Amino acid sequence: MPTLGPELAPAITAHSAAGVGEMAQALTRTFDRPVSLTIGEPQPFDPANSPPEFVGPGLGLALTIGDTGAAVVFAETPGILPAWYANPDPTGQSKLTTLAQELGMLLLPDDFMPDGFEAARVSDLKLALQSAGLSAGCSLLPLKLAADQTASTAWLIWPLPQVKNLLAPPPDQPQS
């Protein structure tokens, strides 16, 4: 299997752009509101200048690919994320997990089909991403979202060598 690395940015961007309509439909179904989506330009992660969306709580989607993986993170933006996402009932959790699966297939090329999908609210996106292995060797792809009069940016991040830690609560904090 090829390695999920930053050199795949052009292929991931092209694959994502091809599935933008299907991703918007998946987001609309999951978030219970019409969501539009555009794909931005990939960029290397700069630890000194992380995106403002990484500050605070949000929705994390962990996409496991063998021993590594990728993540999609959404800042807790009212008007984009539904209120129920923070404490979903079984139906809501199923919707979030299905979203992770759909986005995994639509964002990543076929050679990198995720074999694991998880979704949950995290209390601090930056700490969660650090636990997953976010470093200067990672790539970021902005996913620009709009719903009604609200805009936000979600991020596809790869490779994350400890992606399985993304949704784990910090050792001194219970899971929210």
Side-chain angles (χ1 to χ4, degrees), residues 30-114:
T30 303
F31 296 164
D32 304 319
R33 61 183 47 99
V35 178
S36 64
L37 172 69
T38 56
I39 306 297
E41 291 297 318
Q43 56 194 287
F45 174 66
D46 176 1
N49 190 24
S50 37
E53 293 84 8
F54 288 8
V55 176
L59 174 62
L61 308 179
L63 310 173
T64 306
I65 305 157
D67 293 333
T68 188
V72 180
V73 295
F74 300 81
E76 194 168 87
T77 306
I80 299 286
L81 293 177
W84 60 259
Y85 100 94
N87 191 19
D89 62 14
T91 299
Q93 187 59 54
S94 177
K95 288 171 81 171
L96 293 175
T97 303
T98 299
L99 178 66
Q101 183 175 15
E102 288 181 288
L103 292 184
M105 292 186 299
L106 294 166
L107 288 167
L108 299 171
D110 294 343
D111 287 347
F112 301 97
M113 179 68 62

Side-chain angles (χ1 to χ4, degrees), residues 51-175:
E53 293 84 8
F54 288 8
V55 176
L59 174 62
L61 308 179
L63 310 173
T64 306
I65 305 157
D67 293 333
T68 188
V72 180
V73 295
F74 300 81
E76 194 168 87
T77 306
I80 299 286
L81 293 177
W84 60 259
Y85 100 94
N87 191 19
D89 62 14
T91 299
Q93 187 59 54
S94 177
K95 288 171 81 171
L96 293 175
T97 303
T98 299
L99 178 66
Q101 183 175 15
E102 288 181 288
L103 292 184
M105 292 186 299
L106 294 166
L107 288 167
L108 299 171
D110 294 343
D111 287 347
F112 301 97
M113 179 68 62
D115 48 41
F117 314 93
E118 293 182 82
R121 179 185 187 271
V122 294
S123 59
D124 187 317
L125 288 171
K126 189 173 185 177
L127 286 176
L129 288 166
Q130 289 171 345
S131 294
L134 180 65
S135 69
C138 294
S139 292
L140 308 175
L141 182 65
L143 310 171
K144 299 174 184 183
L145 309 171
D148 296 321
Q149 302 299 316
T150 305
S152 184
T153 302
W155 295 89
L156 171 64
I157 303 126
W158 80 92
L160 292 172
Q162 291 94 33
V163 73
K164 293 176 183 181
N165 295 337
L166 180 75
L167 305 178
D172 60 345
Q173 181 180 341
Q175 185 154 358

